[in-house]
Amino acid sequence: MEEWKPNPPGKPHKKRSWYLAWKYKLMNQRALRKLCQTGAVLFLLVTVIVNIKLILDTRRAAYEEEEESAQDYDDEMLNVEVPRHPVNNKKVLDVEVYSSRSKVYVAVDGTTVLEDEAREQGRGIHVIVLNQATGHVMAKRVFDTYSPHEDEAMVLFLNMVARGRILIFTIKDEGSFHLKETAKNVLKSLGSQVAPFLSWRDMWTFVGKKGGEVYGEKHAKSPALSTWGDPVLLKTEVHLTSVEDAECHWPDTELNRRRKRFCSKVEGYGSVCSCKDPTPIEFNPDPLKDNKVFDVPVAVIAGNRPNYLYRMLRSLLSAQGVNPQMITVFIDGYYEEPMDVVELFGLSGIQHTPISIKNARVSQHYKASLTATFNLFPDAKFAVVLEEDLDISVDFFSFLSQSIHLLEEDESLYCISAWNDQGYEHTAEDPSLLYRVETMPGLGWVLRKSLYKDELEPKWPTPEKLWDWDMWMRMPEQRKGRECIIPDISRSYHFGIVGLNMNGYFHEAYFKKHKFNTVPNVQLKNVESLRKDNYETEIHRLLGEAEVLDHSKNPCEDSFVPDTEGRIYVMFIRMEQEADFTTWTQLAKCLHIWDLDVRGNHKGLWRLFRKKNHFLVVGVPASPYSSKKPSSVTPIYMEPPAKEEGAVAVPAVAAAEQT
Amino acid sequence: MQKINRNVVLALLSLTSLVFLLFQLCYYKFYLSQKNGAAFSKGRGSQSGQDSTRWHVVRKFLGLISSHNIPVYLIDPLILGLVDKDIEQIRSSPDAPSPECKYFCAPRDFTTFALLDKTWKHDVGLFRTAEKMGFQWLKIINKDPRLDGMDDLSGMEIPLHYIFKLASHAIHLVVFYERSGDFLWHGPLRLKQHMDRKFVPFRKLHFGRYPGAYEKPELLLVSIDDLKVQIPKNPSSFLEEMSYSRFLECRYREARAFFQLYPDDASLEAVEFRKKAKSLLHLAALTLNNLGVKFWLSSGTCLGWYRQCNVIPHSKDVDLGIFIRDYKADIIPAFQKAGLPLKHKFGKVEDSLELSFQGEDDVKLDIFFFYEEDDYIWNGGTQAKSGKKFKYLFPKFTLCWTEFVELKVHVPCETLQYVEANYGPEWKVPVKTWDWKSSPFNVQDNGVWPIDEWDNVIQIY
């Protein structure tokens, strides 16, 4: 006790009382004892206060210290890294797979990675690919092998999966009806004993390593045609390998690092993850001479279709004159896999919390993406807008570089688009030819910043209005009579089939036969003639040179156009007023071009090619070009077929669907 | 027996608390001594001239970045200050070898460089090379403010600062971004929790306490101390700019909350008014900037920025503030030349000056002149028909940059006090009927103009 020399005030008193307490206890004197107790309590209080003060002081000092070494204020402090490899150190995975008529699920180490009990959905074989070292889900697919051709897609997919990956299969409802021999053999080669004998409404689960061992298989036969096999539940264990074994040994470069990160996370991208001969992820296309769009930002609008995005970005990055630094991919939602694709190519990506539903959601996503693009590139006067389901032509940027000055100088232009709605294999011919059209095709287009900032952005449809952004942009209130420039042969190709607005038939009928330019460095012809007044001169010249076709023949017949090449022909159809497209629609239908709404017109004139001849269609008398009609010619009128009630709605709906 | 126990307990408690108290004291003492010690040793370290270390580190760094084709420029205020004194000589003989190490040898902890984000490709190779050369580096990333104003976009975080450390010297590389409004922006330096707070004495950094806004500088390639570096062409104006570069981001989150409560007016009139107000503001900013007159968003326009990051559609005019000391007689002709006729002029330069210009279609530009007193700032108002004077009081404030409708403009840094002074604590609630004589929270009667002065102080066109 001698060492408490630098005593705080209360202490000497305390020492005495402590000593006295014993003394008084011995003497048993009440008053003194009381006094001593009070003293002790007082002292306790004092020490408590001093202690609290000390604690506060030290804390404040510590805080100041931190302030001093760093201004460490940060409003989103919680940057705690969540470990993303929960099963990293484990050697064995418990896998549970369930197959039944109405429900399938897969659980890995107690975590459900697949659960599908929705009605009328998810029929067929569900496939899950796990990383053999980490146990992460790398791909999830369902192949409706009850329907034709789906088994081929499955074979394609399984062939793309790298050796050593863990594959999990389970059937929901029915998966054998269109499961052909080839597919069964592939399953057999994976080690399945049951696959070759899978039949109608059997239930089946299988877990195996590609090119390796089988971890388990269970099967329940359907007893009769009208009933399903009993549900099966397979529980098995999978032994994990080391990370090194699961990876390829590519040379250590920055590119391969990106590749490695990508390939350890996802599957189903084919040769990009091939160990022996991986496909490049950097393309270095030839730069463009005098590239006027090098500094134009490119916004890629994406949803959750990572395979599409992958294909799209490959073609975009291979286009001559591309500047990857200007590309931003906007992903509608917090999807990981599209982001992985973006990172694979070393691009920047932005995720967008979905607002609203369906078409309005797409529309809000567009708005956010466009606003963000002009925020990120405040110097830009234009932005190129692309979608994830487009192939980009090799001369896409060359096309824009040659034409973009028009958009800057000609106030009567609304956009430049890479897509010609009427440019099918049999109706487009000249890669160097451009048109002016009153409709906005979208599908790869250039937007002027002033148009967006001054006109579109302030009145963009709000989330509660369930409008399509592109239909809204086509409305006269927005377009205000301005036109878009399009090429005869499209510089983009719409390959998307599974989208919000698409179905297989629709795509087959309207998009598959679209012409797509593959010639590099096309020199555009006579760009100046696309200016407002020059274009009229040009049209008059064309009409002056054009030969009038024989209007007594049926325009749908091939013989309507003579078997020549390189000539200009004109035909006249009936078009009572500006909005009368009755005959045009019938003509478009029989020519097998876009007929769901009116596209590609310029003042009642359509331009396309037939049998390699330029083919002009003039609507009489609504078009100002009607005066070119010789008086002897009677404009052709084609009657719309008598429609059933329901059919009327189809074009209207479908028209809304082309984006 | 019980009583004895109580005593014992009390005694024991006292004893433990005593011990604890001592422990605390010791700890506190120890702590203090450690802290001071550290500070002292650091101070000494930097004084004992490590002359050439700095020069060598800077040279190595410049080698590193030029090998990766990254265009950086020097913005170190201390060196630029020195350079500015000799600027004529440096400009006239850019390649002259220097006899002594004049600029890069003063012992400092840091040398600061700037990098324009869009001029480099985020090449990871840079850092690998840096490591090979012996640099330790630290990257400070944060949210991209250019996406902050947008609903629910989450981009990748962007690098705001890099620090390259070699031996006892560090290079602070500030990353500048282009923003809407044709200016450059750099972010604040904030350390995340897992970061090494002792990596360098962050507090001594010249950049990063606040975000900053700068004009795009013209650069000049010079050779100083035998090192080729780019510097701002006019170092003194850069240094001047630096002293008032603080940038305030709009309060986007609060603005979003505001719009949840009071949905935005999306009517055609509102859209049209906003468009006009925006172009009027752009025109006014251009005119005043050309004259070199410093101005800020005031009244309703300031409230719009602060509350909803946009023009208030029912406000019907654009309000700017200017300190009376910055008043220039050319202001009126300049605006007239820009196509904005004077609508009225109230007051005089010595008292309650206020100008009003007629913009396109009834949108009015009001310019209030502010008078500074010892402990407050005020501007005046005049009622035309009665000659009554009003006075609007504000607490003192300084000016910050912000981005508003694609424009780099000033706002009071102490915006909340400014807005509250003007609109009271209920400023968050939109008010559609507003009387400038009675509605403002800070209005005071200020007498009446003498009749004989009316012709001068009340001019209506």
Side-chain angles (χ1 to χ4, degrees):
Chain A
M1 253 149 243
E2 273 70 31
E3 63 259 29
W4 16 290
K5 291 238 161 74
N7 278 336
K11 270 167 206 164
H13 165 71
K14 174 64 220 146
K15 184 190 173 192
R16 189 156 27 93
S17 44
W18 182 79
Y19 167 63
L20 287 178
W22 287 96
K23 202 171 159 191
Y24 292 149
K25 191 204 80 182
L26 292 172
M27 292 159 76
N28 206 10
Q29 274 185 2
R30 243 183 123 130
L32 277 173
R33 198 171 64 220
K34 246 201 163 137
L35 188 78
C36 135
Q37 281 174 1
T38 329
V41 168
L42 266 175
F43 174 72
L44 269 172
L45 274 173
V46 168
T47 46
V48 163
I49 289 166
V50 171
N51 262 312
I52 287 174
K53 191 174 154 16
L54 271 174
I55 288 171
L56 285 179
D57 278 358
T58 352
R59 280 190 59 177
R60 195 185 318 126
Y63 181 71
E64 274 166 5
E65 156 85 350
E66 284 202 349
E67 279 272 279
E68 199 167 325
S69 67
Q71 305 130 19
D72 57 342
Y73 162 76
D74 198 334
D75 50 8
E76 20 109 69
M77 290 280 261
L78 299 169
N79 242 34
V80 188
E81 303 226 327
V82 184
R84 287 189 61 185
H85 301 279
V87 286
N88 232 352
N89 303 321
K90 251 191 94 177
K91 288 277 173 286
V92 179
L93 283 184
D94 298 315
V95 179
E96 247 177 75
V97 196
Y98 183 78
S99 163
S100 73
R101 176 195 169 184
S102 56
K103 176 181 178 175
V104 285
Y105 77 80
V106 173
V108 176
D109 263 355
T111 314
T112 307
V113 295
L114 166 76
E115 184 158 28
D116 185 347
E117 46 185 336
R119 298 182 59 193
E120 318 278 325
Q121 260 182 41
R123 176 182 58 200
I125 303 181
H126 290 250
V127 185
I128 286 181
V129 184
L130 301 184
N131 185 304
Q132 68 272 41
T134 61
H136 276 219
V137 177
M138 302 182 72
K140 232 194 261 191
R141 298 283 191 282
V142 52
F143 300 98
D144 180 12
T145 44
Y146 171 81
S147 312
H149 303 303
E150 286 275 314
D151 60 334
E152 293 160 23
M154 184 174 80
V155 170
L156 212 65
F157 174 73
L158 292 176
N159 285 338
M160 275 200 290
V161 172
R163 273 177 71 88
R165 300 282 185 236
I166 294 151
L167 290 164
I168 302 173
F169 295 85
T170 175
I171 287 183
K172 183 178 175 188
D173 192 354
E174 212 303 303
S176 74
F177 190 52
H178 271 102
L179 192 67
K180 300 271 162 50
E181 220 41 49
T182 333
K184 286 183 174 170
N185 284 335
V186 169
L187 293 177
K188 192 180 160 197
S189 72
L190 289 171
S192 165
Q193 313 237 309
V194 182
F197 315 107
L198 265 184
S199 59
W200 177 250
R201 289 182 175 172
D202 283 359
M203 294 299 133
W204 172 64
T205 57
F206 173 73
V207 182
K209 179 179 255 183
K210 186 164 176 187
E213 55 205 298
V214 172
Y215 298 108
E217 182 166 28
K218 261 191 182 173
H219 176 233
K221 209 151 177 50
S222 154
L225 272 185
S226 57
T227 54
W228 285 260
D230 292 330
V232 293
L233 176 62
L234 170 66
K235 288 188 182 183
T236 182
E237 283 186 346
V238 169
H239 293 268
L240 293 174
T241 58
S242 71
V243 176
E244 288 74 40
D245 292 347
E247 282 178 346
C248 297
H249 301 283
W250 297 302
D252 184 30
T253 63
E254 179 48 33
L255 286 186
N256 281 338
R257 236 170 263 193
R258 288 202 318 242
R259 190 194 295 278
K260 201 173 247 181
R261 211 176 306 135
F262 180 77
C263 294
S264 66
K265 280 176 84 178
V266 292
E267 263 290 356
Y269 290 83
S271 54
V272 75
C273 294
S274 149
C275 283
K276 272 192 201 132
D277 185 21
T279 182
I281 52 171
E282 199 176 56
F283 307 94
N284 300 314
D286 296 338
L288 275 185
K289 261 186 231 142
D290 191 22
N291 188 350
K292 299 217 171 56
V293 289
F294 191 73
D295 288 334
V296 174
V298 177
V300 178
I301 315 287
N304 189 18
R305 297 182 291 180
N307 283 279
Y308 283 16
L309 185 63
Y310 174 80
R311 173 172 167 179
M312 189 274 163
L313 291 177
R314 283 193 81 88
S315 79
L316 176 63
L317 292 170
S318 310
Q320 291 179 352
V322 67
N323 179 0
Q325 270 192 280
M326 300 303 283
I327 300 174
T328 316
V329 181
F330 294 92
I331 299 163
D332 190 12
Y334 286 98
Y335 303 115
E336 259 187 60
E337 203 168 319
M339 207 58 175
D340 294 333
V341 172
V342 172
E343 281 167 13
L344 170 72
F345 290 113
L347 300 173
S348 53
I350 289 175
Q351 289 169 314
H352 181 209
T353 314
I355 313 172
S356 192
I357 46 159
K358 288 201 173 160
N359 291 338
R361 168 169 167 181
V362 175
S363 164
Q364 292 310 304
H365 182 52
Y366 257 87
K367 183 186 181 190
S369 307
L370 296 177
T371 304
T373 302
F374 289 120
N375 278 354
L376 290 171
F377 302 96
D379 278 353
K381 284 191 204 142
F382 307 100
V384 175
V385 185
L386 300 173
E387 284 152 50
E388 67 182 344
D389 51 3
L390 296 178
D391 280 331
I392 299 304
S393 161
V394 66
D395 80 328
F396 180 77
F397 292 104
S398 153
F399 158 71
L400 294 181
S401 173
Q402 292 174 67
S403 55
I404 197 144
H405 66 282
L406 293 175
L407 193 56
E408 193 167 357
E409 293 155 14
D410 188 345
E411 291 278 302
S412 69
L413 285 180
Y414 198 47
C415 75
I416 296 177
S417 175
W419 178 259
N420 177 4
D421 285 303
Q422 309 295 22
Y424 291 84
E425 288 287 354
H426 60 289
T427 57
E429 209 52 55
D430 186 351
S432 66
L433 184 64
L434 304 180
Y435 301 134
R436 277 179 85 105
V437 296
E438 288 169 19
T439 50
M440 201 210 101
L443 297 173
W445 55 290
V446 186
L447 169 70
R448 198 194 285 135
K449 181 181 184 178
S450 59
L451 170 68
Y452 181 68
K453 280 283 165 190
D454 298 343
E455 300 183 36
L456 303 179
E457 189 188 31
K459 41 179 192 174
W460 197 272
T462 44
E464 69 274 7
K465 298 199 178 98
L466 303 177
W467 282 347
D468 280 306
W469 69 274
D470 54 335
M471 294 313 275
W472 177 78
M473 267 194 77
R474 286 180 186 128
M475 277 155 53
E477 295 89 321
Q478 274 64 250
R479 196 170 62 80
K480 294 181 180 156
R482 289 169 290 193
E483 297 185 297
C484 288
I485 286 185
I486 59 162
D488 179 52
I489 299 183
S490 300
R491 263 42 176 203
S492 59
Y493 179 75
H494 190 239
F495 63 77
I497 48 166
V498 193
L500 173 61
N501 291 328
M502 287 290 167
N503 59 54
Y505 165 74
F506 189 76
H507 182 262
E508 191 91 8
Y510 288 103
F511 290 104
K512 210 162 179 188
K513 299 240 166 70
H514 234 94
K515 200 151 183 171
F516 175 59
N517 180 50
T518 50
V519 184
N521 280 319
V522 176
Q523 188 65 40
L524 300 180
K525 167 166 86 182
N526 212 358
V527 177
E528 289 308 305
S529 73
L530 270 297
R531 287 179 196 272
K532 192 172 190 234
D533 297 335
N534 299 356
Y535 195 66
E536 295 312 309
T537 321
E538 172 73 6
I539 297 289
H540 281 283
R541 186 188 66 78
L542 281 173
L543 287 169
E545 284 176 30
E547 298 163 45
V548 179
L549 288 163
D550 182 354
H551 281 57
S552 62
K553 288 187 179 167
N554 180 354
C556 296
E557 298 282 325
D558 217 31
S559 61
F560 185 69
V561 177
D563 292 319
T564 53
E565 267 187 34
R567 308 282 274 275
I568 308 172
Y569 295 114
V570 61
M571 77 173 281
F572 299 90
I573 59 169
R574 202 197 289 177
M575 185 172 164
E576 294 300 339
Q577 357 77 29
E578 244 180 88
D580 171 22
F581 298 115
T582 327
T583 305
W584 167 256
T585 308
Q586 293 318 308
L587 183 64
K589 206 163 263 165
C590 75
L591 294 180
H592 300 289
I593 56 178
W594 185 268
D595 61 353
L596 298 180
D597 58 359
V598 180
R599 299 283 174 96
N601 52 317
H602 167 83
K603 298 190 179 174
L605 167 88
W606 287 265
R607 295 175 66 180
L608 36 121
F609 281 84
R610 277 182 87 176
K611 295 189 189 168
K612 305 201 171 177
N613 300 296
H614 203 18
F615 177 68
L616 311 175
V617 181
V618 178
V620 179
S623 167
Y625 310 121
S626 303
S627 57
K628 294 279 176 182
K629 181 182 77 66
S631 50
S632 57
V633 170
T634 316
I636 289 175
Y637 174 68
M638 295 168 80
E639 192 134 1
K643 292 175 194 160
E644 318 88 71
E645 277 299 295
V648 190
V650 175
V653 172
E657 285 176 347
Q658 190 195 8
T659 54
Chain B
M1 254 334 243
Q2 264 182 2
K3 273 166 195 166
I4 295 170
N5 278 347
R6 197 204 278 165
N7 281 330
V8 173
V9 166
L10 268 174
L12 277 175
L13 271 175
S14 305
L15 198 69
T16 34
S17 70
L18 200 67
V19 170
F20 192 60
L21 189 77
L22 278 172
F23 171 75
Q24 282 266 350
L25 266 175
C26 281
Y27 175 76
Y28 189 52
K29 237 184 166 170
F30 171 73
Y31 176 82
L32 278 181
S33 70
Q34 189 200 35
K35 202 177 119 193
N36 291 337
F40 286 138
S41 67
K42 203 156 279 163
R44 250 174 273 133
S46 55
Q47 272 153 24
S48 57
Q50 8 137 323
D51 292 348
S52 56
T53 319
R54 185 187 192 191
W55 185 83
H56 281 291
V57 172
V58 171
R59 196 187 55 149
K60 263 195 155 175
F61 174 74
L62 289 173
L64 167 72
I65 55 121
S66 70
S67 71
H68 283 80
N69 278 325
I70 302 170
V72 301
Y73 55 98
L74 185 74
I75 51 167
D76 196 289
L78 300 174
I79 297 182
L80 285 183
L82 293 173
V83 165
D84 190 46
K85 286 182 197 145
D86 312 331
I87 189 72
E88 288 311 320
Q89 191 198 336
I90 291 172
R91 263 192 209 143
S92 57
S93 54
D95 289 320
S98 52
E100 42 162 357
C101 183
K102 225 170 137 183
Y103 310 101
F104 286 113
C105 290
R108 297 271 179 256
D109 294 318
F110 300 101
T111 310
T112 317
F113 285 90
L115 166 63
L116 198 52
D117 169 72
K118 73 164 186 183
T119 56
W120 80 303
K121 294 181 177 173
H122 296 261
D123 173 14
V124 193
L126 172 74
F127 302 105
R128 209 145 319 126
T129 323
E131 277 162 19
K132 274 185 204 140
M133 290 170 81
F135 280 104
Q136 285 175 282
W137 58 276
L138 182 77
K139 172 161 95 168
I140 282 115
I141 56 171
N142 215 325
K143 277 190 300 194
D144 190 337
R146 296 167 302 176
L147 299 176
D148 228 22
M150 314 217 23
D151 289 349
D152 317 303
L153 278 195
S154 57
M156 295 165 170
E157 299 204 317
I158 52 171
L160 300 180
H161 298 262
Y162 291 100
I163 291 166
F164 294 86
K165 188 168 78 170
L166 184 65
S168 58
H169 193 69
I171 304 287
H172 178 198
L173 186 60
V174 184
V175 189
F176 281 81
Y177 290 85
E178 278 183 5
R179 301 268 307 244
S180 302
D182 201 31
F183 67 98
L184 299 182
W185 171 91
H186 76 76
L189 194 152
R190 301 285 180 266
L191 297 176
K192 303 228 160 128
Q193 273 168 338
H194 55 89
M195 282 181 176
D196 179 7
R197 293 188 145 59
K198 302 252 156 63
F199 187 70
V200 285
F202 289 98
R203 208 185 177 179
K204 294 185 187 164
L205 291 175
H206 299 294
F207 289 82
R209 174 168 288 263
Y210 301 113
Y214 292 80
E215 294 300 310
K216 292 176 187 168
E218 277 187 83
L219 298 179
L220 183 70
L221 183 67
V222 296
S223 169
I224 46 179
D225 292 346
D226 295 328
L227 295 174
K228 279 205 177 299
V229 284
Q230 301 225 74
I231 59 166
K233 203 167 186 179
N234 190 342
S236 61
S237 68
F238 179 84
L239 293 173
E240 160 85 9
E241 198 181 2
M242 185 181 160
S243 60
Y244 56 86
S245 65
R246 185 176 164 194
F247 182 87
L248 285 185
E249 205 65 67
C250 200
R251 301 152 72 246
Y252 296 110
R253 214 180 311 160
E254 287 83 354
R256 233 167 280 156
F258 173 82
F259 282 127
Q260 300 248 304
L261 228 57
Y262 309 99
D264 200 12
D265 183 356
S267 68
L268 208 60
E269 301 88 73
V271 168
E272 279 302 305
F273 174 73
R274 279 192 170 142
K275 203 173 142 185
K276 283 178 208 153
K278 180 179 161 185
S279 66
L280 182 60
L281 192 56
H282 274 250
L283 187 59
L286 184 72
T287 313
L288 290 171
N289 288 339
N290 281 343
L291 290 174
V293 173
K294 205 193 284 180
F295 69 94
W296 66 90
L297 304 182
S298 190
S299 310
T301 313
C302 184
L303 177 66
W305 170 77
Y306 191 68
R307 187 172 69 187
Q308 51 209 70
C309 299
N310 206 338
V311 174
I312 302 176
H314 56 260
S315 59
K316 301 300 169 218
D317 53 14
V318 172
D319 304 310
L320 301 180
I322 294 177
F323 285 121
I324 194 68
R325 60 177 141 89
D326 293 329
Y327 173 79
K328 284 184 181 168
D330 333 350
I331 290 179
I332 297 173
F335 272 108
Q336 281 166 336
K337 221 171 153 188
L340 300 175
L342 186 64
K343 194 173 180 225
H344 59 240
K345 179 186 173 192
F346 292 139
K348 48 188 181 179
V349 176
E350 301 78 46
D351 187 8
S352 304
L353 184 64
E354 179 191 341
L355 300 175
S356 213
F357 296 93
Q358 185 62 58
E360 186 197 348
D361 301 320
D362 282 356
V363 185
K364 198 160 56 95
L365 173 70
D366 289 328
I367 299 183
F368 305 104
F369 289 86
F370 282 68
Y371 297 79
E372 285 176 274
E373 304 292 338
D374 287 342
D375 46 6
Y376 65 97
I377 297 178
W378 63 277
N379 73 305
T382 300
Q383 190 180 26
K385 65 171 194 279
S386 65
K388 266 193 198 159
K389 287 167 72 187
F390 300 92
K391 195 173 183 181
Y392 305 87
L393 267 51
F394 293 91
K396 289 224 158 194
F397 57 85
T398 50
L399 293 180
C400 277
W401 290 113
T402 192
E403 183 195 318
F404 184 59
V405 294
E406 291 165 70
L407 207 58
K408 175 191 165 209
V409 284
H410 278 305
V411 286
C413 298
E414 298 79 10
T415 329
L416 177 62
Q417 286 91 307
Y418 189 85
V419 166
E420 270 191 342
N422 210 177
Y423 296 95
E426 296 297 305
W427 57 272
K428 279 189 183 170
V429 185
V431 179
K432 295 224 172 168
T433 48
W434 182 260
D435 179 4
W436 59 273
K437 300 178 292 303
S438 56
S439 305
F441 200 68
N442 55 345
V443 68
Q444 285 184 2
D445 285 333
N446 194 21
V448 182
W449 288 105
I451 303 262
D452 55 328
E453 277 196 64
W454 280 30
D455 282 349
N456 184 31
V457 299
I458 303 173
Q459 298 180 19
I460 297 174
Y461 298 92

